[in-house]
Amino acid sequence: NAGVMQNPRHLVRRRGQEARLRCSPMKGHSHVYWYRQLPEEGLKFMVYLQKENIIDESGMPKERFSAEFPKEGPSILRIQQVVRGDSAAYFCASSPPRTGAGETQYFGPGTRLLVL
Amino acid sequence: SQQGEEDPQALSIQEGENATMNCSYKTSINNLQWYRQNSGRGLVHLILIRSNEREKHSGRLRVTLDTSKKSSSLLITASRAADTASYFCATGSDNYGQNFVFGPGTRLSVLP
């Protein structure tokens, strides 16, 4: 059973370009979470999605950032018109259908975004 | 804020010694989890302890939870150089929605 997969592992963009980060959850998992980790800091929640639904986007910046989890295919975190401050590691986690709050989340290896 | 706070921020010990890391949080929780992150890698889930549990073991790991003090501790016994990593606690709560809240982590260095 493959774990959570993210690609690309490393992404370099110039200011103003778009960044697309992909996340394939573990088999059987229908919940996806995106987190951002700035250097020397802990993870910060961004968004929680189920298939075709955004459940909680309270941690997502209001502009330039969007996320989706289509019926088919991976979850996508999209950052438009990137700025240097977007440079960070972006982690995706998945969990099975919830039976209660806060079930175990399984993390992918992360995508390290560098904005030049 | 719901956020867990790990203490100490950095810890350096000799191989074979025990390492204890603490986590404090501010509001009621359903569970608390500990994760490890090796440099440049993703997070690895270590252990989950529910709010009605007081202690849990997994191999060389022992986690305690004191809901009255809103704190948890992670003990790694007989540490190894391979335990060198950052350790994060994350709290899960109905009140906070479906996501976890992570603290800034404890950076553990185990010296050979």
Side-chain angles (χ1 to χ4, degrees):
Chain A
N1 187 9
V4 177
M5 293 190 289
Q6 289 186 248
N7 69 79
R9 294 290 302 274
H10 299 272
L11 182 61
V12 180
R13 284 287 178 266
R14 296 194 181 279
R15 280 179 296 170
Q17 292 184 321
E18 179 180 284
R20 278 182 182 243
L21 289 64
R22 294 175 187 77
C23 170
S24 296
M26 286 179 70
K27 188 176 180 181
H29 287 190
S30 55
H31 300 245
V32 165
Y33 312 78
W34 285 94
Y35 294 84
R36 178 166 61 180
Q37 185 182 32
L38 295 170
E40 303 301 317
E41 293 188 13
L43 288 150
K44 296 288 191 294
F45 168 76
M46 297 181 74
V47 62
Y48 162 44
L49 310 105
Q50 294 179 20
K51 286 280 187 183
E52 300 183 280
N53 278 310
I54 296 175
I55 306 303
D56 180 357
E57 55 181 350
S58 57
M60 191 91 100
K62 294 289 185 287
E63 297 178 351
R64 303 188 297 107
F65 285 73
S66 63
E68 62 176 9
F69 189 15
K71 187 176 180 181
E72 300 291 337
S75 175
I76 307 284
L77 178 67
R78 183 182 177 205
I79 312 172
Q80 295 178 290
Q81 298 175 319
V82 295
V83 300
R84 287 210 175 115
D86 296 333
S87 296
Y90 291 83
F91 289 92
C92 164
S94 74
S95 67
R98 303 182 72 90
T99 56
E103 294 299 325
T104 299
Q105 297 180 17
Y106 297 84
F107 282 79
T111 293
R112 280 147 189 83
L113 172 65
L114 175 62
V115 180
L116 302 176
Chain B
S1 166
Q2 171 78 16
Q3 186 173 18
E5 293 280 339
E6 293 90 349
D7 169 61
Q9 289 193 357
L11 180 62
S12 186
I13 59 174
Q14 295 294 134
E15 211 167 18
E17 293 180 339
N18 296 341
T20 300
M21 289 160 271
N22 303 297
C23 170
S24 60
Y25 56 93
K26 294 182 180 176
T27 61
S28 62
I29 62 171
N30 285 62
N31 60 68
L32 186 144
Q33 301 189 15
W34 285 91
Y35 288 82
R36 182 183 70 216
Q37 184 183 33
N38 290 83
S39 180
R41 307 285 291 272
L43 286 156
V44 174
H45 177 254
L46 295 176
I47 199 163
L48 178 151
I49 186 165
R50 300 192 186 279
S51 59
N52 61 353
E53 298 176 309
R54 292 294 167 260
E55 188 171 311
K56 207 160 182 181
H57 295 81
S58 177
R60 294 183 297 111
L61 306 179
R62 181 170 79 96
V63 169
T64 62
L65 179 64
D66 187 336
T67 53
S68 66
K69 294 181 180 177
K70 292 186 169 59
S71 68
S72 172
S73 68
L74 170 67
L75 169 67
I76 304 174
T77 60
S79 63
R80 305 166 182 168
D83 294 328
T84 296
S86 290
Y87 291 82
F88 295 87
C89 72
T91 53
S93 165
D94 275 326
N95 295 329
Y96 202 76
Q98 305 295 313
N99 54 284
F100 287 108
V101 181
F102 284 85
T106 291
R107 285 156 187 76
L108 173 66
S109 297
V110 180
L111 306 174

